[in-house]
Amino acid sequence: MALFIVRHHHEPNRCPATDPYMGATLLNYLSRPNVRKHGVSIQGEAIVRGEHTLYMIVESSDEAHVREFMQPFTMAGSLDVYPAATCASVVASGGCAAAMPGIDAAVPAMDPEEACQQAIDGGLVVHRAHPLNAETSIPALIGSVVMPNPRFYVRNHFQIPRLDQSSWRLKVGGLVERPQSLSLRDLVKIPTQSSFVTLECAGNGRSMLDPRVDGEQWDLGAVSTAEWTGVPLVEVLDRAGVKAGAIEVVFRGADSGKLDANSETIRFERSLSIDDARESEALLAYAMSGEPLPIQHGYPLRLIVPNWYGMASVKWLTEIDVISEPFRGHYQTEAYCFEWQRGGQLVREPVSLQRVRSLITEPEPNTEVEQGELPVRGVAWSGAAPIARVEVSIGGGPWQDAHLISERKRHSWQGWELLARLEQRGSTVISARATDMAGRTQPDLPEWNRLGYGNNAIQKIRVDVR
Ligand SMILES: Nc1nc2c(c(=O)[nH]1)N[C@H]1C(S)=C(S)[C@@H](COP(=O)(O)O)O[C@H]1N2
Ligand SMILES: [Mo]
């Protein structure tokens, strides 16, 4: 279907609505059932008061249908039909005059406009329409453990591949005794496992780094939790039988693209050491919080590596390759590495486990709150160990222990709350700090690094006490 804007203008003395019967005829003509008969659907219509001008946003297969439908209006005045586009489509293609980015015929992709519109309609904050990158808005983190799927943050490097379940296979090869080619049906037959796992993008909070670093300018919402269901990765590795001499397992997604115009096409691929592949409780997930994996989140199958930053959890998984050399892919050795200047030296370290962090979900920053008791709530997580405690400070005062809600979880964030007292009126800062059972806690300021990963500085929000 194509989108059009229709404009009709008539002279004041020819305004059809001045005659009640003509006016009624017009309304009936514009009614949904009648419009449908003409192969058109009206998304909205309005008249500019006093200007005798009608605008409509209509959808139809082609302009001819629109003109045919609008024919009666031409008797009262002029008619213009403009081919149009949604804002999501213009932004995704990079401007009013730009064409939608080409979709590689070999790997059919989701329409970027549709992906973007879905993100907006789901309540996500869009950072980039294409490739789609969108974060959860923090107040949406309130409440249950799981983030509803439409509100789960989306982080993509390339187009979103549209994979066909009937022809899709997971190939397991390389240094294995029995190479596998598994359909979704084969996988569903293996006993399932479900786990609540928090994913956090390594760049979450990057926008707060000073000096600014390149990359998606995430606020604090590139984190969400879902209940993932699928097959333990070890199960599939054991079926294939890992041979002696293997040191790493590479996971390859179906999505691909170029880093810049002159470079070669690369896939999104990441590796884990054999030990991490076996011991991280990684899951090959085909369901997300009770629904089939949504296309944006890796349909039909993705890897979920609990406690690791999100880049390890490869979406649209098509290949598992067992190798005998360290993997050198772009997303392994160039991106997703901390680069620090320490003692005049460049220190590099691969990004792996999520750093301990807490987020305040309530109250909302920069809002007015009443003097007296105020519930402060949030979530906290750490890749290294369960959360030991969360403390809250009001207006730079002493740290007070918050109450941890529900039992300790290994792979998912934990809710916490504190009934705080706000004594003084005026602007106040509330901060929250988590400590995990490995004794790690959050720094006061982010540890700046060239690519802007792992900012787990203590969150501070400002409220106005009335
Ligand atoms: N195939 C593929 N897998 C991927 C990515 C990607 O671009 N392609 N992005 C990774 C990154 S950086 C993150 S943070 C998570 C985000 O998962 P989500 O979009 O389901 O939230 O997916 C990871 N897996
Ligand atoms: Mo990420």
Side-chain angles (χ1 to χ4, degrees):
M1 291 298 254
L3 200 63
F4 298 92
I5 291 176
V6 172
R7 179 178 178 273
H8 159 72
H9 174 80
H10 50 245
E11 291 308 317
N13 60 353
R14 303 190 67 188
C15 183
T18 50
D19 172 350
Y21 300 104
M22 270 296 281
T25 307
L26 194 75
L27 288 182
N28 292 327
Y29 190 71
L30 294 176
S31 72
R32 280 174 191 217
N34 184 58
V35 168
R36 219 176 291 131
K37 280 190 235 155
H38 293 265
V40 172
S41 108
I42 298 182
Q43 293 202 344
E45 86 268 22
I47 287 165
V48 185
R49 272 191 175 280
E51 301 259 320
H52 301 276
T53 306
L54 162 76
Y55 284 94
M56 292 203 297
I57 300 173
V58 300
E59 262 191 319
S60 178
S61 59
D62 56 82
E63 188 175 322
H65 276 93
V66 181
R67 289 198 174 272
E68 181 269 322
F69 168 66
M70 290 302 292
Q71 183 59 33
F73 288 82
T74 58
M75 287 180 263
S78 68
L79 176 71
D80 298 299
V81 179
Y82 305 99
T86 62
C87 296
S89 138
V90 168
V91 176
S93 57
C96 285
M100 194 53 98
I103 291 175
D104 180 357
V107 188
M110 188 177 185
D111 179 3
E113 170 186 357
E114 186 190 341
C116 179
Q117 194 66 53
Q118 269 188 24
I120 298 166
D121 294 345
L124 291 173
V125 180
V126 174
H127 278 271
R128 184 196 295 253
H130 184 73
L132 179 65
N133 281 287
E135 75 177 85
T136 298
S137 74
I138 303 292
L141 296 173
I142 300 173
S144 61
V145 170
V146 159
M147 182 66 61
N149 290 349
R151 299 187 146 201
F152 200 103
Y153 84 95
V154 177
R155 200 301 178 228
N156 296 328
H157 293 78
F158 304 117
Q159 314 215 48
I160 299 172
R162 201 183 267 291
L163 301 177
D164 175 16
Q165 204 220 89
S166 57
S167 58
W168 175 89
R169 293 290 179 277
L170 174 66
K171 298 224 163 63
V172 187
L175 272 183
V176 294
E177 308 283 353
R178 300 168 292 276
Q180 306 276 312
S181 174
L182 302 165
S183 66
L184 204 55
R185 268 188 193 204
D186 297 330
L187 287 165
V188 171
K189 282 190 211 138
I190 302 175
T192 62
Q193 188 168 306
S194 288
S195 183
F196 290 93
V197 175
T198 296
L199 290 191
E200 182 186 15
C201 185
N204 194 26
R206 179 182 287 134
S207 64
M208 284 143 220
L209 295 184
D210 182 20
R212 185 196 136 108
V213 295
D214 284 344
E216 299 302 316
Q217 295 300 303
W218 300 112
D219 189 11
L220 292 173
V223 57
S224 306
T225 301
E227 184 184 24
W228 307 93
T229 301
V231 175
L233 171 63
V234 275
E235 203 68 42
V236 170
L237 289 178
D238 286 345
R239 276 196 173 207
V242 173
K243 283 190 186 167
I247 64 158
E248 287 190 16
V249 185
V250 179
F251 301 89
R252 209 159 279 141
D255 51 333
S256 63
K258 291 171 185 237
L259 297 172
D260 53 65
N262 303 321
S263 64
E264 289 192 1
T265 298
I266 57 168
R267 304 268 289 269
F268 186 86
E269 40 190 7
R270 289 271 316 173
S271 75
L272 290 175
S273 70
I274 296 277
D275 284 351
D276 285 332
R278 290 200 165 278
E279 284 151 31
S280 59
E281 296 183 45
L283 208 59
L284 297 170
Y286 46 72
M288 181 176 180
S289 302
E291 291 169 12
L293 202 56
I295 176 167
Q296 298 89 329
H297 297 290
Y299 180 87
L301 191 78
R302 78 177 297 172
L303 181 65
I304 290 291
V305 188
N307 299 328
W308 282 59
Y309 278 113
M311 74 284 153
S313 296
V314 176
K315 306 193 272 188
W316 311 291
L317 190 63
T318 56
E319 281 163 62
I320 296 181
D321 201 5
V322 180
I323 59 173
S324 59
E325 307 265 301
F327 177 62
R328 310 274 324 149
H330 172 81
Y331 295 105
Q332 194 77 26
T333 54
E334 284 166 58
Y336 300 111
C337 279
F338 290 112
E339 283 184 18
W340 291 296
Q341 282 293 336
R342 281 183 182 156
Q345 284 214 329
L346 177 71
V347 179
R348 289 189 104 228
E349 188 189 309
V351 172
S352 59
L353 296 182
Q354 294 164 7
R355 292 171 151 194
V356 60
R357 184 173 231 180
S358 76
L359 278 187
I360 301 168
T361 56
E362 206 185 328
E364 258 189 74
N366 308 314
T367 50
E368 285 193 345
V369 297
E370 298 285 326
Q371 196 181 21
E373 283 189 332
L374 175 79
V376 182
R377 300 194 170 94
V379 287
W381 66 96
S382 168
I387 292 297
R389 66 172 188 277
V390 175
E391 299 153 291
V392 174
S393 158
I394 308 288
W399 290 105
Q400 306 170 52
D401 272 316
H403 165 68
L404 297 184
I405 302 162
S406 76
E407 81 280 15
R408 292 211 160 81
K409 302 192 177 66
R410 274 179 314 155
H411 299 332
S412 128
W413 62 28
Q414 166 119 37
W416 55 264
E417 65 184 353
L418 174 82
L419 202 54
R421 276 208 72 80
L422 300 178
E423 309 285 3
Q424 276 168 9
R425 285 174 200 269
S427 175
T428 301
V429 171
I430 303 178
S431 36
R433 169 175 87 178
T435 305
D436 69 18
M437 294 182 91
R440 298 178 195 206
T441 192
Q442 299 181 246
D444 224 0
L445 294 172
E447 195 181 3
W448 192 93
N449 57 97
R450 190 178 64 89
L451 299 172
Y453 298 127
N455 170 8
N456 68 333
I458 295 170
Q459 186 195 5
K460 302 179 176 73
I461 66 162
R462 190 168 284 282
V463 291
D464 203 15
V465 186
R466 283 193 300 171

